[in-house]
Amino acid sequence: MLSRRLLLASLTYSALALSVATPAQAADKVIKVGTLKLIHGITPYFYDKFTPAGYKIEVIPFETPTDGKNAVVTKSVDFGTYGLAAATLGAAAGEPVVIVAPTCNGGMAIVVGKNSGIGSFKGLQGKRVGILPGSTQEAVFNDRLKSEGMTLKDIKSVRVSFSEMAGALERGDIDAYVGAEPGPSISVTRGVGKVLEFPYSTPTGKVNMVMTTHADTVKKDPELVKVFLEIHRKASEYAMAHRAELVQMAGAKLGFAPDVANLAADNVELTWKIDEDWITRSKYYGSLMLERKQIRKLPDYSSFIVTGFNPQ
């Protein structure tokens, strides 16, 4: 009889414990965030510090901007950060991708071999230049060519992914590249390359990476967007204010050497706020893509750039 009572008591306690634990566990919402394997995309790794109770962050790294954009479109991730170019390409093609915040300004550089003898932008004429088609860097570089009275026909364009650019330059496969950090900093710290220029003189300025989500998320789960953007704001400001931790995180998550990460951080502005200047530059960027027939029409910016959730 005693054993029976103990058994019943044990079952009752277990059921009670389960009923108490289940609601708490069920309340945890996992937010999947896609990012690139670049120091531009370091912010999501700081999200855990500012994630409120009931939410968890899962960071999923991608190799290319297109991979990140496709993950957002297919809802494989809830939010994804990558270059403005990929987002604009998707929206212009009618894909349900929307921008909810900037992520990083800057992070670009035109790099040439240290002993290449190239001392000016016009010196790129006839040279093998590594470019990633469909990237923000490509559009900005095209604008720089135009400002110098040049076109892509004046150089020998070579398709190279961001992660391979520094190595391609070191091997002598290319003479220069239009890269993303940490590529430029790797080339400089290894003593094989030098920065020809940071291409921020065009009307696009430093606009680069954006945070996106599926259009359905904005319509059906606005509370999630609000919570997420507050996390993004706090993490962006924290990472910018704590250089040592940013460098350490780049080493831990991306495998960057401290000297590379520290130099790359000088060329990176982690950000979160959509303002009129940013919108103007982003629209200009879209006009460049249209002019060069990278897109057939401009996105509907009234719905493509979502400002209603911008933290104050």
Side-chain angles (χ1 to χ4, degrees), residues 111-115 166 169-170 186-194:
V111 180
V112 299
K114 187 175 182 180
N115 300 316
L169 184 72
E170 190 167 358
I186 290 173
S187 294
V188 171
T189 56
R190 287 184 179 175
V192 298
K194 62 180 181 180

Side-chain angles (χ1 to χ4, degrees), residues 146-222:
K146 182 179 179 180
S147 69
E148 296 285 346
M150 300 166 64
T151 69
L152 276 176
K153 294 180 180 180
D154 291 311
I155 66 166
K156 296 176 182 177
S157 178
V158 182
R159 182 188 179 98
V160 187
S161 68
F162 290 138
S163 62
E164 296 173 343
M165 287 180 177
L169 184 72
E170 190 167 358
R171 292 190 303 271
D173 297 340
I174 53 178
D175 304 302
Y177 64 82
V178 189
E181 294 291 0
S185 294
I186 290 173
S187 294
V188 171
T189 56
R190 287 184 179 175
V192 298
K194 62 180 181 180
V195 173
L196 181 67
E197 69 170 59
F198 297 109
Y200 306 138
S201 61
T202 76
T204 299
K206 292 186 175 183
V207 169
N208 191 351
M209 287 182 68
V210 295
M211 183 61 72
T212 66
T213 190
H214 195 287
D216 286 349
T217 305
V218 170
K219 295 176 183 177
K220 299 178 181 179
D221 203 347

Side-chain angles (χ1 to χ4, degrees), residues 6-77:
L6 287 174
L7 176 61
L8 289 173
S10 176
L11 290 173
T12 301
Y13 177 80
S14 298
L16 180 61
L18 184 62
S19 67
V20 171
T22 300
Q25 292 170 353
D28 287 338
K29 164 65 178 175
V30 177
I31 304 175
K32 294 184 178 181
V33 185
T35 189
L36 299 183
K37 299 174 183 179
L38 304 169
I39 198 167
H40 312 49
I42 199 72
T43 307
Y45 292 107
F46 287 92
Y47 287 170
D48 281 342
K49 287 180 176 289
F50 307 101
T51 302
Y55 295 90
K56 291 183 179 179
I57 297 293
E58 180 182 349
V59 180
I60 302 171
F62 292 104
E63 181 69 26
T64 71
T66 301
D67 291 339
K69 185 266 296 177
N70 289 343
V72 169
V73 171
T74 59
K75 298 183 180 180
S76 300
V77 296

